[in-house]
């Protein structure tokens, strides 16, 4: 848990800022038969980012990176909305959209593990081409659908709780189980540590890499359904734009190393929540739009500095007596989700 | 509306009948126009393209149409090819504001008049083009403000307004904000209590509005810089258990189909039109500049505004 201490403190600080500006920030009430409040908003709007970040975490754990998730988000929403606007079958539309996303993920995995292209280049292909594909599907227009059952995925409620939050909990639970209760997590970290050595040790490295890329695309696909369902429309140009960068940021804030070999699902969720809380904070505190990006950058920079043991050592040693001479060694201890 | 697309899936609608070679001498009356469009990134843009094509046909002008797919180099290529083909007039909607001097000088040297549509260029040499035909975004903001002032002219209490701005730094966002501010600023009872960018998208409009609703319990009016953000905000307002159009009055700009539908349904109160249908005006201007008649350096698109009643009657005939 120690590694998650700093992100947790940052999240707490952000929430405290909100409480200062909006005294009713923590109040959660029932409205129109569902939970209503700022905290619920953060979870609801953060849900797609958490999903994309979970997929990204596993990809990064294998030493890779997936830049194409934003385009996959757009494709998934576009295809689902197109199918629904044509014949209205929500279930088939969702299955078709997610199926295509898995296929796109397999393609990424094939390029990385099968052909040996560097992950950043391999997924850059789909990042650019995928946006075009989404626009091709929507014909460059915004497709508006009017389907109450599709609306549930991103904008609906089950037992007063936003459906999107429940969906995230399920995906998080399944992922945590597969990677932390079964051997898969260790295998992923092993491949991320050294793919060739893992292969020689008898791990099917190639299969693992392809699987995580497919998983990342599937997560992005579900996120895409959520985003488009939340506004009952598909926008091929803007849906999921730059979400890959937010996801990478969430993973990094959560303490997963970009060089692979180690990951923390709990940290990633925390990272995504920090990003979403920051966004909500900016809206409710009333930061002028011209300076929004600067404020975001400052907070992110502060989080990253706080996360660095070296930086903490330098700054806090001056303030008080050093607590432990070498905290860096301890940082390498793995954290379970 | 000013969305930058990566790879626009646009069709190159080469207008049929290429005008019989270069037989477009000055005297015989038939005019050939080269038109370079930005792309096909939105319903607005598609309607814009259709309007130009239909108006050209109606005016008897031969149209050579090319789609730049959001890329300036494609547009420059298209303009150069129009110069080589010796068209009578070139019209285009610039993808970006800067970097046009060289190619426009080439057109000027070839004595081909140029008309800008929808978007301006930042060139200092205004002799490079004859006129700029497009919407006046500041005026759109003023129209929105005027309606609001009229609605609340008898109210004594302060009117709390929240604003959803377009993409930060874009001309429509800056100008629609300025025009609105200019009109409502005259009366201190109008207060903009929160203003944020919603990037012209529905998803952002909804997200920002959710936050507004929680941070500001007492919102009277929402002013959104385009329909899409307004449509997203409507969902947020409904989710908060309020009635859009009644509890919170909504003013938007654009008048695209979904927006007009919401207006007719009573969820939006007032829409200021930003019309893409500038084809007929463009053809009139083209005829004038080819005949070397003088035209005004800035021509504003003919635009109107819609109340809920007007939307109901106008909706069946809307082209976009």
């Amino acid at each position: 848990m120690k590694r998650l201490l700093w992100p947790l403190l940052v999240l707490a600080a952000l929430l405290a800022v909100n409480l200062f500006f909006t005294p009713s920030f923590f109040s959660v009430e029932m409205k129109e038969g569902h939970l209503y409040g700022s905290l619920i908003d953060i979870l609801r709007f953060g849900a797609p980012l958490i999903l994309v970040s979970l997929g990204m975490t596993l990809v990064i754990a294998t030493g890779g990176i997936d830049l194409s998730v934003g385009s996959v988000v757009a494709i998934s929403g576009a295809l689902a909305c197109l199918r629904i606007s044509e014949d209205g079958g929500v279930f088939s539309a969702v299955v078709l959209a997610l199926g295509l996303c898995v296929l796109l993920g397999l393609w990424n995995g094939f390029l990385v593990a099968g052909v040996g292209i560097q992950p950043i280049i391999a997924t850059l292909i789909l990042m650019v081409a995928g946006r075009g594909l989404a626009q091709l599907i929507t014909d460059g227009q915004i497709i508006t659908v009017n389907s109450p059952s599709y609306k549930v995925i991103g904008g609906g409620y089950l037992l007063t709780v936003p459906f999107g939050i429940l969906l995230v909990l399920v995906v998080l639970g399944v992922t945590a189980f597969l990677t932390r209760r079964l051997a898969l997590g260790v295998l992923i970290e092993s491949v991320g540590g050294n793919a060739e050595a893992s292969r020689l040790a008898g791990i099917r490295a190639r299969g693992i890499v392809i699987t995580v890329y497919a998983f990342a695309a599937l997560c992005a696909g579900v996120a895409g359904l959520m985003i488009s369902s939340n506004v009952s429309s598909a926008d091929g140009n803007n849906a999921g734009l730059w979400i890959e960068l937010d996801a990478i940021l969430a993973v990094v804030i959560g303490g997963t190393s970009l060089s692979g070999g180690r990951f923390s699902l709990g940290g990633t969720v925390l990272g995504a929540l920090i990003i979403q809380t920051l966004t909500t904070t900016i809206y409710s505190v009333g930061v002028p739009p011209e300076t929004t990006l600067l404020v975001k950058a400052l907070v992110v920079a502060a989080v990253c500095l706080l996360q660095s043991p070296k930086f903490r050592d330098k700054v806090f040693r001056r303030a008080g007596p050093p607590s432990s001479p070498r905290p860096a060694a301890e940082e390498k201890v793995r954290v379970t989700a | 509306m000013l969305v930058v697309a990566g790879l626009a899936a646009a069709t190159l609608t080469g207008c049929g009948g290429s005008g019989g070679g270069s037989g477009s001498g000055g005297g015989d009356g038939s005019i050939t126009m080269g038109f370079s469009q930005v792309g096909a990134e939105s319903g607005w843009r598609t309607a814009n393209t259709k309007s130009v094509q239909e108006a050209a046909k109606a005016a008897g002008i031969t149209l050579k149409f090319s789609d730049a797919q959001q890329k300036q180099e494609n547009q420059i290529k298209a303009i150069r090819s129009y110069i080589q083909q010796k068209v009578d007039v070139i019209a285009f909607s610039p993808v970006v504001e800067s970097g046009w001097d060289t190619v426009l000088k080439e057109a000027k040297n070839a004595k081909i008049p140029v008309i800008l549509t929808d978007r301006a260029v930042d060139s200092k040499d205004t002799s490079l083009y004859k006129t700029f035909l497009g919407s006046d975004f500041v005026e759109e903001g003023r129209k929105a403000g005027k309606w609001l002032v009229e609605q609340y002219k008898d109210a004594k209490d302060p009117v709390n307004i929240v604003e959803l701005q377009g993409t930060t730094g874009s001309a429509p966002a800056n100008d629609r904000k300025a025009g609105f501010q200019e009109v409502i600023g005259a009366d201190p009872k109008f207060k903009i209590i929160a203003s944020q960018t919603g990037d012209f998208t529905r998803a952002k409009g909804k997200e920002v509005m959710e936050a507004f609703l929680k941070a500001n319990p007492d919102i009277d009016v929402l002013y959104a810089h385009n329909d899409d953000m307004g449509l997203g905000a409507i969902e947020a307002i409904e989710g908060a258990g309020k009635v859009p159009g009644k509890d919170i009055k909504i003013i938007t700009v654009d008048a695209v189909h979904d927006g007009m539908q919401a207006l007719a349904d009573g969820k939006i109160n007032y829409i200021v039109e930003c019309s893409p249908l500038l084809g007929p005006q463009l053809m009139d201007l083209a005829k004038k500049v080819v005949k070397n008649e003088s035209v005004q350096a800035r021509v504003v698109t003919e635009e109107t505004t819609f109340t809920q009643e007007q939307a109901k009657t106008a909706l069946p005939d809307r082209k976009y």
Side-chain angles (χ1 to χ4, degrees):
Chain A
M1 263 328 271
K2 184 148 191 255
R3 227 169 27 155
L4 297 187
L5 179 69
W6 288 103
L8 266 174
L9 283 180
V10 171
L11 187 59
L14 278 175
L15 291 172
V17 168
N18 271 303
L19 192 64
F20 178 74
F21 280 94
T22 322
S24 62
F25 193 77
F26 284 92
S27 78
V28 174
E29 51 189 312
M30 292 291 283
K31 223 170 218 182
E32 309 275 291
H34 58 77
L35 295 172
Y36 178 86
S38 296
L39 293 179
I40 301 294
D41 271 1
I42 291 174
L43 288 173
R44 197 153 62 89
F45 285 108
L49 180 60
I50 296 176
L51 276 182
V52 173
S53 308
L54 280 178
M56 187 70 81
T57 308
L58 297 190
V59 169
I60 287 178
T62 66
I65 201 151
D66 190 348
L67 297 182
S68 71
V69 284
S71 296
V72 174
V73 163
I75 292 171
S76 157
L79 188 60
C81 284
L82 182 72
R83 291 288 304 169
I84 292 169
S85 67
E86 276 170 355
D87 64 0
V90 174
F91 183 74
S92 70
V94 167
V95 170
L96 193 74
L98 293 183
L100 177 65
C101 291
V102 170
L103 217 62
L104 292 171
L106 290 174
W107 163 255
N108 277 336
F110 165 74
L111 287 184
V112 173
V115 188
I117 302 177
Q118 292 210 342
I120 199 165
I121 302 298
T123 56
L124 186 68
I125 297 172
L126 188 59
M127 176 187 174
V128 177
R131 194 59 62 189
L133 183 59
Q135 285 162 354
L136 198 68
I137 294 170
T138 59
D139 209 10
Q141 316 291 319
I142 294 174
I143 303 179
T144 306
V145 295
N146 192 4
S147 158
S149 43
Y150 183 63
K151 175 99 194 162
V152 168
I153 301 172
Y157 299 86
L158 185 68
L159 304 171
T160 76
V161 182
F163 191 75
I165 298 179
L166 297 173
L167 212 54
V168 165
L169 286 177
V170 170
V171 175
L172 179 65
V174 170
T175 315
F177 176 76
L178 287 179
T179 56
R180 292 312 187 193
R181 291 280 164 254
L182 303 184
L184 189 62
V186 182
L187 298 185
I188 289 172
E189 290 179 336
S190 151
V191 170
N194 188 332
E196 186 57 18
S198 312
R199 195 184 64 80
L200 293 174
I203 297 173
R204 293 175 56 189
R206 195 176 289 183
I208 298 256
V209 170
I210 293 178
T211 308
V212 296
Y213 278 96
F215 176 70
L218 178 65
C219 285
V222 177
L225 294 179
M226 262 186 212
I227 290 173
S228 83
S229 130
N230 189 22
V231 285
S232 291
S233 62
D235 184 343
N237 291 315
N238 293 303
L241 197 63
W242 310 130
I243 202 173
E244 60 276 351
L245 299 183
D246 274 349
I248 294 168
L249 184 63
V251 172
V252 172
I253 290 178
T256 296
S257 155
L258 271 183
S259 52
R262 184 157 48 117
F263 68 92
S264 160
L265 294 177
T268 295
V269 173
L270 210 53
L273 286 178
I274 288 177
I275 294 174
Q276 189 58 41
T277 308
L278 182 55
T279 310
T280 307
T281 307
I282 282 170
Y283 296 151
S284 32
V285 170
V287 178
E290 295 80 13
T291 51
T292 302
L293 293 175
L294 185 69
V295 172
K296 275 192 175 177
L298 287 176
V299 174
V300 169
V303 177
C304 292
L305 285 176
L306 279 175
Q307 292 244 75
S308 150
K310 246 187 193 168
F311 176 81
R312 285 207 307 268
D313 232 24
K314 276 203 174 125
V315 174
F316 296 120
R317 198 184 317 174
R318 243 173 250 162
S323 49
S324 59
R326 278 266 164 269
E330 211 176 326
E331 293 293 323
K332 277 192 184 141
V333 174
R334 276 183 192 147
V335 201
T336 51
Chain B
M1 166 173 114
L2 295 176
V3 175
V4 177
L7 290 168
T11 46
L12 273 153
T13 331
C15 202
S18 51
S22 56
S24 52
D28 64 352
S30 92
I31 297 174
T32 304
M33 171 190 275
F35 186 83
S36 170
Q37 179 63 283
V38 175
E41 78 278 12
S42 62
W44 194 95
R45 189 64 61 191
T46 314
N48 181 235
T49 301
K50 254 190 208 149
S51 165
V52 169
Q53 286 167 338
E54 281 167 12
K57 205 177 272 173
I61 291 178
T62 309
L63 184 72
K64 290 174 188 286
F65 183 88
S66 83
D67 184 321
Q69 303 193 358
Q70 312 283 339
K71 288 204 178 69
Q72 185 175 28
E73 69 250 38
N74 289 349
Q75 248 177 346
I76 292 178
K77 259 185 235 160
I79 294 170
R80 290 221 165 102
S81 95
Y82 292 145
I83 296 172
Q84 277 165 5
Q85 295 171 41
K86 298 194 174 63
V87 299
D88 300 297
V89 54
I90 292 172
F92 76 111
S93 301
V95 176
V96 292
E97 283 197 327
S98 51
W100 298 102
D101 288 28
T102 317
V103 70
L104 290 184
K105 259 175 208 145
E106 288 168 29
K108 193 182 175 188
N109 292 342
K111 296 198 169 54
I112 300 175
V114 173
I115 301 173
L116 304 177
T117 67
D118 175 42
R119 301 187 190 178
V121 298
D122 66 358
S123 174
K124 289 202 178 68
D125 183 1
T126 51
S127 75
L128 292 178
Y129 54 89
K130 293 284 176 197
T131 178
F132 165 39
L133 166 67
S135 305
D136 183 343
F137 300 132
V138 180
E139 185 57 33
E140 288 167 3
R142 282 192 204 115
K143 284 179 187 167
K146 274 176 199 152
W147 181 83
L148 184 67
V149 171
E150 179 64 24
Q151 286 293 304
Y152 283 90
K153 64 177 178 208
D154 299 327
K156 300 252 168 9
D157 301 329
V159 179
N160 291 334
I161 304 162
V162 294
E163 183 183 35
L164 287 171
Q165 301 182 24
T167 307
T168 308
S170 69
N174 290 345
D175 294 354
R176 283 172 191 168
K177 182 180 165 63
F180 186 71
Q181 184 71 47
E182 180 189 311
V183 173
I184 63 159
D187 190 336
K189 80 178 170 197
F190 293 107
K191 285 200 189 83
I192 297 184
I193 54 173
S195 180
Q196 268 297 337
T197 175
D199 278 335
F200 284 128
T201 66
R202 270 183 221 189
K204 274 284 168 200
K206 181 170 182 180
E207 190 177 338
V208 176
M209 193 65 197
E210 295 265 12
F212 280 175
L213 284 163
K214 269 132 214 166
N216 312 285
D218 188 20
I219 299 172
D220 299 312
V221 176
L222 163 68
Y223 170 47
H225 287 185
N226 80 343
D227 290 347
D228 278 323
M229 291 190 294
L231 291 167
I234 286 173
E235 298 204 1
I237 295 169
E238 284 172 342
K242 294 190 171 167
V243 184
K246 294 214 167 63
D247 296 338
I248 296 177
K249 299 241 190 302
I250 302 176
I251 311 168
T252 66
V253 184
D254 256 10
V256 297
H257 182 270
D258 288 350
M260 289 294 277
Q261 187 64 55
L263 182 62
D265 294 344
K267 292 180 175 178
I268 295 179
N269 299 77
Y270 191 65
I271 296 185
V272 179
E273 187 186 38
C274 177
S275 174
L277 307 178
L278 42 76
Q281 274 177 294
L282 175 61
M283 297 310 149
D284 286 347
L285 285 172
K287 282 179 183 164
K288 278 187 189 158
V289 296
V290 169
K291 281 187 209 147
N292 231 342
E293 288 172 26
S294 71
V295 291
Q296 283 186 322
R298 175 79 170 91
V299 181
V300 177
T301 324
E302 286 160 12
E303 285 168 342
T304 176
T305 55
F306 293 98
T307 59
Q308 293 175 342
E309 291 311 311
Q310 287 165 332
K312 275 177 204 155
T313 41
L315 199 54
D317 305 324
R318 293 291 279 182
K319 289 183 179 163
Y320 60 99

